[in-house]
Amino acid sequence: MERIKARVLPALGIVSLAALAACGTSTTGGGGGNGGSGPLSSCIGSVTVASDLPTSGGDASIGGGTEKGVKLAVDQANAAKLLGGCTVNYIAKDDSSVAKGKHDPQQGAQNVTSLVANLAVVGIVGPFNSSVAVAELPITNKAGVVQISPSNTDPGLTIPGTDPDIDTASLKPTGKTTYFRVISNDVVQAQVMAQVAYKELNLKKVYDIDDQETYGKDLSNYFDQDFAKLGGTVTKRVSLPGDTKDFRPQITEAQGLGADSVFFGGVASNGSGILKKQMSDAGLTAQFLSGDGTVDPQFFVDSGAQGDGAQASSAPDTTKLASAQQFIQQYKQRYGQDVVAYSTYGYDCMNILLQAIHDVLVDNGAKLPADPVTFRTKVIAKVQGIDYKGTIGETKFDSNGDTLNHQFSVYKATGGKWVGRETVSPSAS
Amino acid sequence: MPEHVSGRLAGDVDLPTTATETRAQESSSVFWLLVIGGLMMLVGGWLLPWFVEPTANGIGASPMDVVASPPRGVGSLLVYLMGLSMLGLLAGAAYDAVSLRLRRGQPHRWARQRAVLAAVGMVCTVTVWYLIAKRREEPLFGELSPLALTDNAVWLTLTGFALCCLAYGFRRPIAARSGLTLAAVALVVGALVPLIFRQSIEFISWAAGAAAIYTLLALGLNVVVGFAGLLDLGYAAFFAIGAYTCGSLASSRHGDVLHIPFWPYPFWIILFLGAAVAALFGALLGAPTLRLRGDYLAIVTLGFGEIIPDAANNNAFGQTGGPNGITGIHHPSLFGHDFGIDPRPYYYALLVLIALIIVVLRNLERSRIGRAWVAVREDEVAASATGINTVSTKLLAFAIGAAVSGFAGAFYGAELGIVSPDDFQFAVSVTALSTVVLGGIGSITGAAVGGLLISFIIFWILPHAQEWSMTFGNTTGFTALSSVDYSKYVYVAYGVILVSIMLLRPAGLIPSRARKVELQAGGESEPLAAVRGRA
Amino acid sequence: MEGQGEVRAVLPPLARRRSLLRGGGLAELGSRAFPTVLIGALVLMIIDVAARSGVSVAGSQLVNGITKGAIFALIAVGYTMVYGIIELINFAHGDVFTLSAVYGKEIGRGLSWIGMSLWGVSLGSLATRGPLGLAAVLLVLFPLTMAATGITGVLIERVAYRRLRDAPRLAPLITAVGVSFILEGSMLVTQGSSNVRTDKEGWIRGTAFTAGGVDVHWADIFVVGMALLMMFALQAFIRSTRLGKAMRATAQDRDAALLSGVNINRTIAATFFIGSALAAAGGLIYSIFFDSVVWNLGFGFGIIAFTAAVLGGIGNIVGAGLGGFLIGLIYVFGGQITSGQWSNSIVFAMLIVVLTFRPVGLLGMRVPDRA
């Protein structure tokens, strides 16, 4: 009753290689005119897109990997002549500062100020962090520039009243939706994981650790709620700084509490692999559970062979999707590194933006709209109406800018790889 | 490199040989630093729009578009070189003009020739700029339009660089003036900034955001560290307290307390409330440090600097919103004009505020309290023997320093609409301390300059390095430059800048007069020992 | 001047008396109340954990805390030595610790390569072969890594601190921050932004003994044993060698030491060498224990270790060791009691309380006023 087999896989057969290079097909625009001979072959000029992600300092690992995904999308679009005769320029901004050592709302606000002032920029991928989003959204909203975030999960950014700490209306001074995100909020994900843990894995006592960041803390909160609702016990909830490397005190405690599972609300770069390894070292056999932040090759860098057996939820089966496979290979080939948790999201964000631009150009008769403001407005409308099948599944947006893709897969760490199990949608119960 | 600083002998007793020699050496090394800094700004590719034709539809004429256009080869390289040399000459002339006055001695060789060349270069530059603007039919001083990318780029570079040189050159006369004159000069120059850089809204955003906030922090921390000699490694804690107080009073969290329905949020009252609360906490948190000296005091402040953001992150008393922080902070308004997200009103408000604070601090420094601070800093026992209440003197320093950071916090939240625990970590305290030390401990002007310089490096030069290098690489044909990932090197670059500035100017860019006297006094005198921390 | 004690380890009697006199009544009270406050709080925390989660959990946490503390202690010694001799808070020291783990990794790779090409044995396989193999590996790896890190420390001093020795006191503090950025940045560039393995997987494994339901692993014994060994060696070095005496003399009065023929530059360089080498020992122990390092690891470690140095009484080597172990324990038990989120706060709150009662730390003496 809870689980529905994925309906994503059958769609794969029709995704051709050519389309992959141009990253998915659109059902909204005037036919997939990919390649140089399409309807846009007469297009002259260039279109500028941008990204704003934290790529230095403490966020370099995860933000930098996301930016690499974004960049790859741009390069592929240029190589495959997605916009026909027009080229895509790409501005990459870094919203972390040396003053903070990580993402900095002040830098973010300054970055988007410069991006929206540059009328050539028609859309921005980012930001990565919720706090930066709060500082940036009013600026881009007022200027009418679309922002697509690969990673913001705080529900309050789009849905009024869901997060008492965020005044959603203040983020939208014009009242129009200009901000979209391709990642589902954590409520759904936590629900899926709680159900799998309780009903399928038959776990009853969880020890919950979060990484003190917005994402991790929220994910753990929701997981605790759902797990308790189903009848499980949360033996203890601890909250550790993101730079924690020594989880032995917590493992000792979990052993003492007789927990049969450990949930980690946090990203791999904040130590999920290290935790798993130390659990094995200490002989704690409890099941390791986590969310999509952990479905990341870094997990195995940290945990080695001891990572096996961990289970975590993430977007539907990205490793099985042929387009994702292709992306993961291309990424590795290009950068000589593995993708990080949000590379696929960043890649899809940029592809959605480019697809929307493509559609606008097709509607406009293969010409760049003369008025930049109109161009920007049209791109927002096309993003709103997009139906895009990419590496993270099918993305459509509701009127708040949230993705309608609420499906999650559960992944199991097997032989140094995240292997997807069946796709799960949360039950109504 | 100044030999005397290197401690070539056994290391510590030898002092600067003569004061003039020292000054000359220091001056020339900083001068070269300035030249290099200016060149880097230029390399920033601000000359680029010169070579970019507007695209058919009028958009896309941003410097970044050059990325897609073919390399321009030798021609543009030549123009770069021309620009570089002009700037160098200009800087040289400005430097000579100033040093001539200051030293009353011999001007540098070639000084006159350089001045003439610089003037010619300046005229050439302005002419070229004018011609290009003319050809592209853009107004020289017209309406603010992002499309007008002739962009006062040239202006930005030349004026910015010239201002730096002049400010440096005139630092002595400026420092000799009273606080009032200083504030007046700062006001006039500052008021012109949004006009000069009207085409670069990002620059104003930087000035109203990073620059103003870090200048405020530098001014406040200077009271604690510079005036009273209390090393504070947790200054961000007070910044946080001010920001959180104002944030919660100006958002839906506790907005009802002061908010009259249908009226705008009383930001200007909240601003002072925030400063007052920060001051209160400054005194409260200062209390445990009263008995401590030296670095034990520093470690206690560091402790508070760790505890306060921790508390904010853990949603202490349910008041801080946890890792999300406080959002939906209302923008201020003045006489019915909502500041909104436009940086300019903030810029002007902060400019006035900073000027006022400088005047107040300047007067404080010269008042009874200021002298008490100096006394406590130099010798606490002696100070208390002469009847100074060391307890209240120290607490007052903490309170005033905290109040200034409270102002900064209030504006920080109001501008960004969010305050979150990440914004007040140890790194911010360290950055604030760097501004004070770099500028010159104990000198108000130094603190302000340090705040400006550090925020310019962190929030302007480093974030733009990538773009500048790409545009430079693409226009000159050095495409290798375009593919360098600069965000990797940001930390190394910042570290190298910090170390080299400190090595070149150990006393800071603009040392306070008292300290300078101490440094130049010579001999193992008491003040020297104080400087070396051996009192 | 000789025979007056370690680098402020055993206080000159006069200084101690004077500090009590100058501190007045409260300090007198404080120095008595001090052990009660700290040890009492710690014991209360241990009892609380034992009562709530059982004695065996409390015992395991004790082991966890002590091993954690051992690494803090090794880093804290470097802070305290540098402080003792040039009164500088060497902010870069935490990053030297990280750097040493990276050195350890790279040197290990180099040795492995040599071993593979000459004898067909990699370092890892030798180390996991048995106690003798491990001992052989450690005997090669430790000196090499410690020497490399020590040399880096000396270079840092030469470039960034030496010429600022007579500058205003905060100037070297800022260069230390700058050096910290440079070190972190270089590791970011060369090692990447994520955790990297240090190729020391499973070098020391297995349980040594079980006492009262508490497993004590060989690795735990190794960590604590090495830390104690290093610190005793250092203590002996400073007490009895000529260089050690020179260091003590320089710490007490640099000018007087200079006049009596001590080569100040060499002595200070030696201090940096030893402090960095000890951090390297810490870094190696850490990487054997956790087999993971990341470019900004030392930042958090540095702050905590510095705190440990102050808690013990800055400038005092025994104090730094003691402070390290205490902070490790407070961190672990405080963390368990407050669900982890307040561990840092507890450490610092405790520190503030302790310093309020006893302004000079555990075993410290009054430091000069800061200008």
Side-chain angles (χ1 to χ4, degrees):
Chain A
M1 60 181 177
E2 300 93 358
R3 277 173 279 129
I4 305 165
K5 289 282 173 201
R7 310 190 71 177
V8 185
L9 292 181
L12 291 175
I14 37 172
V15 181
S16 70
L17 257 172
L20 276 172
C23 316
T25 51
S26 163
T27 52
T28 48
N34 300 316
S37 59
L40 295 181
S41 52
S42 62
C43 182
I44 303 163
S46 67
V47 173
T48 305
V49 293
S51 72
D52 180 72
L53 300 162
T55 55
S56 61
D59 301 312
S61 165
I62 197 153
T66 312
E67 192 193 85
K68 290 191 176 91
V70 172
K71 194 166 188 318
L72 191 59
V74 174
D75 292 347
Q76 290 180 349
N78 272 331
K81 297 205 179 299
L82 175 72
L83 302 184
C86 286
T87 53
V88 183
N89 288 345
Y90 169 56
I91 304 177
K93 292 270 187 186
D94 173 10
D95 65 32
S96 45
S97 76
V98 178
K100 303 261 158 74
K102 53 178 153 185
H103 58 272
D104 183 345
Q106 200 156 28
Q107 184 70 52
Q110 193 183 314
N111 286 349
V112 293
T113 302
S114 103
L115 290 176
V116 300
N118 180 352
L119 283 194
V121 173
V122 291
I124 302 167
V125 171
F128 196 86
N129 307 85
S130 296
S131 64
V132 181
V134 171
E136 288 184 358
L137 295 192
I139 299 172
T140 50
N141 184 269
K142 206 162 176 210
V145 178
V146 70
Q147 261 193 298
I148 312 176
S149 166
S151 57
N152 291 158
T153 47
D154 194 317
L157 289 175
T158 50
I159 313 163
T162 45
D163 184 340
D165 296 323
I166 292 189
D167 180 359
T168 311
S170 71
L171 306 179
K172 269 193 205 182
T174 63
K176 293 177 193 140
T177 300
T178 56
Y179 165 73
F180 302 87
R181 51 182 170 190
V182 298
I183 192 165
S184 179
N185 64 43
D186 304 327
V187 182
V188 183
Q189 181 180 170
Q191 216 174 337
V192 167
M193 206 58 218
Q195 282 170 4
V196 169
Y198 187 79
K199 300 201 168 151
E200 196 188 313
L201 301 171
N202 212 16
L203 301 168
K204 304 294 178 227
K205 290 169 87 178
V206 70
Y207 184 90
D208 190 347
I209 302 175
D210 75 54
D211 66 356
Q212 280 193 8
E213 288 177 10
T214 318
Y215 160 79
K217 228 170 174 148
D218 282 350
L219 187 65
S220 281
N221 283 345
Y222 296 130
F223 179 83
D224 287 358
Q225 277 170 22
D226 291 322
F227 195 70
K229 220 188 280 171
L230 291 167
T233 317
V234 181
T235 55
K236 176 120 184 208
R237 165 69 182 280
V238 298
S239 192
L240 303 174
D243 60 0
T244 305
K245 304 284 179 246
D246 181 3
F247 293 94
R248 292 171 306 141
Q250 285 68 40
I251 292 168
T252 302
E253 195 183 13
Q255 267 168 331
L257 291 167
D260 57 14
S261 52
V262 172
F263 184 86
F264 183 77
V267 292
S269 52
N270 281 346
S272 45
I274 295 175
L275 169 62
K276 178 72 179 77
K277 176 173 183 286
Q278 291 178 3
M279 277 168 65
S280 307
D281 287 347
L284 176 61
T285 50
Q287 173 66 45
F288 179 90
L289 305 167
S290 190
D292 58 351
T294 288
V295 183
D296 181 328
Q298 181 64 36
F299 177 83
F300 296 104
V301 174
D302 293 335
S303 64
Q306 284 142 309
D308 280 7
Q311 305 217 15
S313 54
S314 185
D317 225 349
T318 57
T319 50
K320 276 190 192 161
L321 270 172
S323 58
Q325 286 288 21
Q326 175 108 358
F327 166 70
I328 289 165
Q329 276 166 22
Q330 286 166 340
Y331 185 101
K332 182 138 197 178
Q333 200 180 342
R334 166 80 186 270
Y335 302 109
Q337 313 166 348
D338 283 317
V339 294
V340 303
Y342 293 96
S343 300
T344 48
Y345 292 89
Y347 181 72
D348 273 20
C349 280
M350 184 45 90
N351 278 325
I352 287 170
L353 180 58
L354 293 173
Q355 190 62 49
I357 293 168
H358 168 265
D359 295 349
V360 170
L361 294 185
V362 169
D363 284 1
N364 204 39
K367 279 200 304 249
L368 297 174
D371 175 19
V373 179
T374 322
F375 195 0
R376 287 172 167 185
T377 316
K378 284 183 173 170
V379 169
I380 295 172
K382 287 294 181 192
V383 171
Q384 176 75 67
I386 206 114
D387 179 357
Y388 181 81
K389 294 183 193 69
T391 56
I392 56 168
E394 185 176 11
T395 302
K396 289 193 234 179
F397 296 113
D398 68 12
S399 60
N400 286 325
D402 276 322
T403 178
L404 292 170
N405 181 359
H406 291 316
Q407 288 192 321
F408 279 92
S409 284
V410 174
Y411 290 78
K412 188 168 183 181
T414 316
K417 258 192 177 146
W418 286 106
V419 178
R421 303 167 62 210
E422 66 279 30
T423 300
V424 185
S425 278
S427 69
S429 62
Chain B
M1 247 0 61
E3 276 285 323
H4 62 273
V5 210
S6 68
R8 60 195 184 283
L9 290 175
D12 64 335
V13 280
D14 54 337
L15 282 158
T17 41
T18 63
T20 40
E21 185 193 325
T22 315
R23 202 186 306 153
Q25 280 170 344
E26 278 175 0
S27 301
S28 69
S29 52
V30 171
F31 163 66
W32 284 114
L33 202 72
L34 271 178
V35 171
I36 292 162
L39 297 187
M40 278 166 63
M41 272 167 69
L42 187 85
V43 171
W46 283 105
L47 285 172
L48 270 176
W50 290 30
F51 312 108
V52 183
E53 298 298 321
T55 48
N57 62 346
I59 53 176
S62 81
M64 291 307 293
D65 276 337
V66 179
V67 175
S69 54
R72 312 263 161 168
V74 185
S76 47
L77 189 65
L78 272 178
V79 179
Y80 267 110
L81 288 176
M82 194 177 84
L84 288 175
S85 51
M86 267 192 290
L87 273 184
L89 292 170
L90 187 73
Y95 172 73
D96 286 335
V98 173
S99 63
L100 203 63
R101 253 194 65 185
L102 285 181
R103 277 198 233 141
R104 300 169 194 283
Q106 295 298 309
H108 194 276
R109 278 189 306 161
W110 308 111
R112 195 169 302 158
Q113 290 87 333
R114 276 205 309 211
V116 172
L117 272 175
V120 172
M122 187 75 183
V123 170
C124 290
T125 314
V126 173
T127 315
V128 173
W129 163 61
Y130 172 79
L131 289 175
I132 288 176
K134 198 92 176 151
R135 186 160 66 85
R136 288 174 56 168
E137 292 170 359
E138 284 173 3
L140 284 177
F141 298 98
E143 280 299 295
L144 182 71
S145 151
L147 276 181
L149 284 165
T150 328
D151 181 291
N152 301 313
V154 187
W155 262 125
L156 191 79
T157 320
L158 291 183
T159 349
F161 189 78
L163 280 178
C164 282
C165 292
L166 289 178
Y168 174 73
F170 284 112
R171 73 196 190 287
R172 270 174 246 272
I174 287 174
R177 301 284 168 229
S178 73
L180 212 60
T181 323
L182 204 70
V185 170
L187 263 179
V188 171
V189 175
L192 289 174
V193 163
L195 296 175
I196 299 171
F197 302 123
R198 59 190 302 147
Q199 305 261 346
S200 174
I201 191 87
E202 188 193 3
F203 190 79
I204 305 166
S205 171
W206 165 80
I213 298 290
Y214 280 92
T215 304
L216 274 178
L217 290 181
L219 287 173
L221 185 57
N222 185 45
V223 174
V224 185
V225 179
F227 291 175
L230 308 164
L231 177 56
D232 188 345
L233 290 177
Y235 191 59
F238 306 124
F239 181 34
I241 288 167
Y244 269 95
T245 308
C246 298
S248 59
L249 285 173
S251 68
S252 51
R253 191 166 271 279
H254 286 303
D256 313 337
V257 178
L258 289 171
H259 184 217
I260 307 158
F262 307 112
W263 282 68
Y265 275 83
F267 174 79
W268 307 103
I269 297 172
I270 294 172
L271 174 70
F272 285 94
L273 265 179
V277 173
L280 182 71
F281 271 88
L284 274 180
L285 302 190
T289 65
L290 287 175
R291 297 183 55 243
L292 302 175
R293 293 194 171 195
D295 293 313
Y296 290 111
L297 182 143
I299 197 81
V300 168
T301 55
L302 185 144
F304 283 119
E306 290 288 311
I307 291 174
I308 299 284
D310 226 21
N313 202 27
N314 291 332
N315 201 3
F317 312 112
Q319 296 304 312
T320 62
N324 285 326
I326 293 176
T327 59
I329 300 170
H330 287 261
H331 299 298
S333 62
L334 190 64
F335 306 125
H337 172 72
D338 187 7
F339 280 24
I341 51 170
D342 184 355
R344 276 167 298 184
Y346 294 100
Y347 176 82
Y348 283 115
L350 279 161
L351 189 67
V352 173
L353 181 70
I354 289 175
L356 285 177
I357 286 177
I358 287 181
V359 172
V360 169
L361 291 184
R362 193 86 184 168
N363 286 338
L364 263 181
E365 189 192 11
R366 294 163 165 214
S367 71
R368 200 184 154 78
I369 301 166
R371 289 193 297 273
W373 281 333
V374 175
V376 168
R377 180 181 77 202
E378 298 300 332
D379 190 335
E380 198 176 329
V381 178
S384 90
T386 54
I388 291 170
N389 183 343
T390 56
V391 171
S392 61
T393 307
K394 284 181 177 181
L395 286 186
L396 199 65
F398 271 114
I400 291 174
V404 176
S405 77
F407 287 123
F411 269 98
Y412 184 82
E415 278 182 68
L416 298 176
I418 180 169
V419 289
S420 66
D422 284 347
D423 304 341
F424 310 102
Q425 304 287 344
F426 181 57
V428 178
S429 301
V430 170
T431 307
L433 188 65
S434 312
T435 61
V436 172
V437 179
L438 207 81
I441 312 159
S443 147
I444 294 175
T445 326
V449 168
L452 280 175
L453 185 68
I454 290 273
S455 58
F456 189 68
I457 294 169
I458 292 181
F459 291 95
W460 195 264
I461 294 185
L462 295 179
H464 285 104
Q466 184 93 42
E467 282 170 44
W468 293 348
S469 160
M470 276 177 91
T471 43
F472 183 78
N474 278 291
T475 41
T476 52
F478 296 125
T479 39
L481 281 175
S482 328
S483 51
V484 184
D485 178 11
Y486 281 86
S487 55
K488 264 179 158 178
Y489 301 105
V490 159
Y491 274 58
V492 179
Y494 182 61
V496 168
I497 292 171
L498 274 189
V499 172
S500 32
I501 297 183
M502 279 335 290
L503 289 182
L504 291 172
R505 302 279 304 188
L509 294 175
I510 305 175
S512 76
R513 266 169 298 160
R515 303 269 172 155
K516 234 172 7 191
V517 171
E518 288 164 10
L519 271 178
Q520 290 165 5
E524 187 74 18
S525 62
E526 202 277 329
L528 173 76
V531 170
R532 283 184 29 212
R534 293 287 195 88
Chain C
M1 191 172 306
E2 290 177 12
Q4 277 201 352
E6 291 71 6
V7 179
R8 298 184 179 174
V10 177
L11 303 178
L14 181 66
R16 171 177 282 171
R17 220 176 303 132
R18 196 179 56 200
S19 84
L20 285 180
L21 281 177
R22 278 171 77 183
L26 236 185
E28 203 103 33
L29 175 74
S31 38
R32 276 198 292 272
F34 166 74
T36 331
V37 172
L38 187 74
I39 310 294
L42 192 57
V43 169
L44 275 181
M45 288 200 280
I46 297 176
I47 291 174
D48 182 80
V49 169
R52 282 199 225 179
S53 321
V55 177
S56 68
V57 169
S60 300
Q61 298 293 42
L62 207 61
V63 175
N64 289 338
I66 290 173
T67 47
K68 204 179 182 73
I71 293 168
F72 287 150
L74 279 174
I75 309 174
V77 169
Y79 271 110
T80 227
M81 284 182 73
V82 167
Y83 189 89
I85 207 151
I86 56 170
E87 285 154 25
L88 162 72
I89 303 174
N90 185 5
F91 269 121
H93 191 65
D95 300 303
V96 170
F97 161 78
T98 324
L99 189 70
S100 71
V102 172
Y103 279 165
K105 184 190 103 185
E106 300 297 345
I107 291 174
R109 292 217 171 136
L111 289 176
S112 271
W113 182 79
I114 295 172
M116 283 305 277
S117 41
L118 290 185
W119 305 288
V121 185
S122 81
L123 206 63
S125 67
L126 187 62
T128 47
R129 193 169 286 173
L132 271 180
L134 180 68
V137 168
L138 294 185
L139 275 177
V140 180
L141 195 59
F142 264 79
L144 281 180
T145 312
M146 287 170 74
T149 316
I151 290 166
T152 313
V154 172
L155 279 177
I156 291 172
E157 193 271 335
R158 183 70 190 83
V159 173
Y161 305 144
R162 182 175 295 183
R163 55 174 63 208
L164 293 178
R165 223 174 271 161
D166 294 311
R169 287 207 50 198
L170 290 182
L173 194 72
I174 300 304
T175 49
V177 172
V179 170
S180 162
F181 274 113
I182 294 175
L183 292 182
E184 286 190 8
S186 330
M187 286 185 284
L188 183 63
V189 173
T190 56
Q191 306 295 315
S193 51
S194 323
N195 296 320
V196 286
R197 300 296 286 258
T198 52
D199 305 336
K200 297 182 178 57
E201 170 80 50
W203 277 20
I204 299 175
R205 62 174 103 197
T207 307
F209 60 88
T210 306
V214 180
D215 286 341
V216 177
H217 301 272
W218 283 115
D220 299 329
I221 294 174
F222 169 75
V223 169
V224 178
M226 283 300 283
L228 290 179
L229 181 74
M230 291 288 165
M231 279 184 284
F232 279 120
L234 176 67
Q235 192 71 1
F237 174 82
I238 285 180
R239 196 176 305 217
S240 48
T241 63
R242 206 178 152 73
L243 191 57
K245 282 176 192 161
M247 285 159 82
R248 272 150 49 204
T250 312
Q252 274 172 7
D253 189 330
R254 202 195 300 162
D255 300 340
L258 178 69
L259 290 175
S260 38
V262 172
N263 184 337
I264 302 288
N265 280 340
R266 224 187 66 193
T267 310
I268 292 178
T271 309
F272 270 85
F273 184 90
I274 296 171
S276 306
L278 279 180
L284 275 180
I285 293 171
Y286 179 90
S287 41
I288 290 172
F289 203 66
F290 291 113
D291 188 25
S292 166
V293 64
V294 66
W295 63 280
N296 58 2
L297 177 73
F299 184 74
F301 261 95
I303 295 178
I304 301 273
F306 174 48
T307 308
V310 175
L311 184 68
I314 198 153
N316 183 312
I317 289 167
V318 178
L322 204 59
F325 283 108
L326 275 174
I327 283 201
L329 287 171
I330 295 169
Y331 202 93
V332 167
F333 283 98
Q336 169 148 9
I337 287 167
T338 61
S339 298
Q341 28 184 356
W342 297 99
S343 328
N344 266 332
S345 294
I346 286 187
V347 168
F348 286 104
M350 195 135 261
L351 183 85
I352 291 168
V353 171
V354 163
L355 289 184
T356 311
F357 278 107
R358 188 178 158 83
V360 293
L362 211 56
L363 304 175
M365 62 176 283
R366 187 170 281 279
V367 294
D369 298 348
R370 182 165 279 283

